[in-house]
Amino acid sequence: MNRVFNFSAGPSMLPLPVLEKAQADLIDYQGTGMSVMEMSHRSPAFETIINDAQALIRQLMNIPDNYKVLFLQGGASTQFSAVPLNLMNKSNKADYVITGQFSQKAYEEARKYGDIKLVASSKDRNNTYIPQLTSADFRSDADYVHICFNNTIFGTKWNYIPDTGDVPLVADMSSCILSEPYDVSKFGVIYAGAQKNVAPAGVTIVIVRDDLIGNSRKDIPVMLDYKTQADNDSMYNTPPCWSIYVAKLVFEWLIEEGGLEARKKLNEKKAGLLYDYLDNQTYYTAPAEKPYRSIMNVTFVTGNPDLDAKFAKEAGAQGLKNIKGHRSVGGMRASIYNAMPYEGIEKLVAFMEKFAKENPKG
Ligand SMILES: *Cc1c(COP(=O)(O)O)cnc(C)c1O
């Protein structure tokens, strides 16, 4: 077996103990004589899996009782439509903050459905920072405010939870969910595609406060309505069973490893190793402004696209895979989600030093 360090932004690494557990269960899940992939979602074995997954993520994230956890399909991108269709039901107004490509997409989708205000954008400095906002920046009669908490492509994250007053705050947490503890009670809705930090692609986690369920627009597709999904325990139709099962294993792994406080420390240590190196040399530049640096996606450039391409290629040959930046920004991006071991970052930093020595600039 030869596992590489996979720095992909998503789908991304899964913890080895989780893969091993899934492998052991693959052909005969706990004496059922079948794989979870082959199992009816109405079977007692699968009902236990989805109920356990629900209980475990509630425990991990300390989710209050007045929130539902839904296991949906369609990726985070489907929530770009589901959020306005479910929540934009009183003033038909919503406020958006654009801090990267995914929040831009969410904003554009919402504009189909109502009066959408762009409250702030970090485009003026190429999405390298997060705007500082207070409750006065938001419309007090907006049905909700939408932000993207960690900007996967640009490597920034909100270093505070904006105060939106009584207006529900909706956050796309696709690339940071379970990376550290969050006060769920500060949010109306949290959503996340699983393939960054939770599970294989297929399941989307939606955590929604009870009072935001049941007031959707009349023309909402039944599958997008949080009420349909909440009333049917995420089983209105066939859920993404395998992905939910692996998510459950990941939740167990995180709890065994000490939960989200311990995870935050480890993630800060991992990201810190990389940022400390970046801050103490001049060969590479890290574009994200310091207060807003993501601990999940670390972006850096050499300043020369040919050298960037050479870097990604040679790193790949050393088992440091998928380090090339997003096609829209170039450079490099190391996605260092929960499953990336500390050792992977040590190897990366050693490679960066070596590459800088071997490839002097101009
Ligand atoms: C990857 C990502 C998305 C898109 O997720 P899909 O599940 O592919 O739709 C949306 N938002 C953020 C922050 C992401 O990182």
Side-chain angles (χ1 to χ4, degrees):
M1 187 177 70
N2 189 20
R3 298 270 303 163
V4 297
F5 293 110
N6 178 9
F7 292 90
S8 169
S12 47
M13 288 185 84
L14 286 162
L16 187 56
V18 165
L19 293 176
E20 285 168 341
K21 183 87 190 10
Q23 184 182 44
D25 283 348
L26 186 70
I27 292 175
D28 177 4
Y29 178 75
Q30 295 188 357
T32 57
M34 63 180 87
S35 169
V36 175
M37 289 186 231
E38 303 168 296
M39 195 176 274
S40 165
H41 58 293
R42 309 279 177 205
S43 64
F46 186 74
E47 283 208 2
T48 304
I49 290 171
I50 195 168
N51 291 341
D52 287 354
Q54 163 100 231
L56 290 163
I57 192 173
R58 283 185 173 281
Q59 178 189 339
L60 263 174
M61 292 183 69
N62 201 11
I63 298 172
D65 288 343
N66 63 323
Y67 285 74
K68 295 278 184 297
V69 178
L70 307 175
F71 297 110
L72 307 182
Q73 300 199 60
S77 304
T78 295
Q79 295 306 310
F80 299 167
S81 331
V83 166
L85 289 168
N86 278 280
L87 267 53
M88 215 154 48
N89 49 28
K90 294 187 197 86
S91 65
N92 212 34
K93 294 178 184 173
D95 288 0
Y96 276 67
V97 183
I98 298 184
T99 52
Q101 211 177 83
F102 291 113
S103 44
Q104 169 91 39
K105 284 183 170 169
Y107 165 76
E108 279 163 15
E109 182 65 13
R111 288 202 328 159
K112 294 177 183 168
Y113 301 111
D115 168 2
I116 305 300
K117 182 179 174 194
L118 176 57
V119 170
S121 158
S122 51
K123 247 191 197 158
D124 57 334
R125 300 207 298 275
N126 197 29
N127 299 313
T128 52
Y129 74 103
I130 301 294
Q132 292 297 314
L133 301 170
T134 67
S135 59
D137 291 304
F138 302 105
R139 294 181 291 186
S140 58
D141 63 340
D143 287 332
Y144 66 93
V145 170
H146 182 281
I147 62 172
C148 177
F149 213 74
N150 183 81
N151 298 285
T152 323
I153 293 174
F154 295 92
T156 61
K157 114 174 167 168
W158 287 72
N159 61 350
Y160 70 103
I161 298 173
D163 176 8
T164 57
D166 291 333
V167 180
L169 177 62
V170 177
D172 178 354
M173 289 204 178
S174 294
S175 51
C176 59
I177 191 167
L178 303 178
S179 65
E180 57 182 342
Y182 297 115
D183 182 352
V184 174
S185 73
K186 295 272 196 296
F187 299 87
V189 179
I190 291 171
Y191 65 87
Q195 69 274 19
K196 314 280 165 61
N197 217 8
V198 186
V203 67
T204 308
I205 295 167
V206 178
I207 302 166
V208 51
R209 209 173 62 207
D210 284 341
D211 61 290
L212 301 174
I213 301 174
N215 303 302
S216 62
R217 296 160 63 113
K218 295 287 159 276
D219 55 356
I220 190 173
V222 65
M223 279 291 291
L224 298 192
D225 194 334
Y226 294 152
K227 184 163 174 22
T228 309
Q229 300 293 353
D231 286 351
N232 291 281
D233 296 324
S234 306
M235 294 217 268
Y236 173 74
N237 73 331
T238 316
C241 302
W242 175 256
S243 187
I244 292 168
Y245 159 70
V246 179
K248 188 207 88 149
L249 297 181
V250 168
F251 302 154
E252 284 171 345
W253 173 76
L254 284 168
I255 289 170
E256 272 164 33
E257 298 258 311
L260 296 191
E261 284 292 350
R263 187 53 44 182
K264 175 188 169 85
K265 286 207 185 79
L266 180 56
N267 284 331
E268 284 176 346
K269 188 174 157 211
K270 283 159 55 183
L273 182 61
L274 197 40
Y275 285 125
D276 281 350
Y277 169 69
L278 285 165
D279 289 343
N280 289 295
Q281 52 77 55
T282 54
Y283 190 84
Y284 308 96
T285 314
E289 294 178 19
K290 272 188 193 173
Y292 315 108
R293 282 173 164 175
S294 169
I295 56 170
M296 294 280 99
N297 311 96
V298 179
T299 50
F300 57 95
V301 298
T302 64
N304 173 340
D306 293 335
L307 279 179
D308 289 345
K310 189 166 189 256
F311 182 101
K313 187 160 173 262
E314 290 182 9
Q318 303 288 313
L320 306 167
K321 298 286 185 191
N322 297 314
I323 200 100
K324 189 168 172 275
H326 189 270
R327 58 190 183 279
S328 65
V329 279
M332 275 72 74
R333 169 178 51 175
S335 294
I336 52 173
Y337 300 118
N338 287 343
M340 171 62 68
Y342 187 75
E343 191 198 345
I345 325 275
E346 288 179 319
K347 287 256 159 66
L348 175 59
V349 169
F351 176 78
M352 289 168 78
E353 280 174 337
K354 179 166 162 284
F355 185 86
K357 272 202 202 94
E358 289 174 358
N359 297 276
K361 289 186 206 163

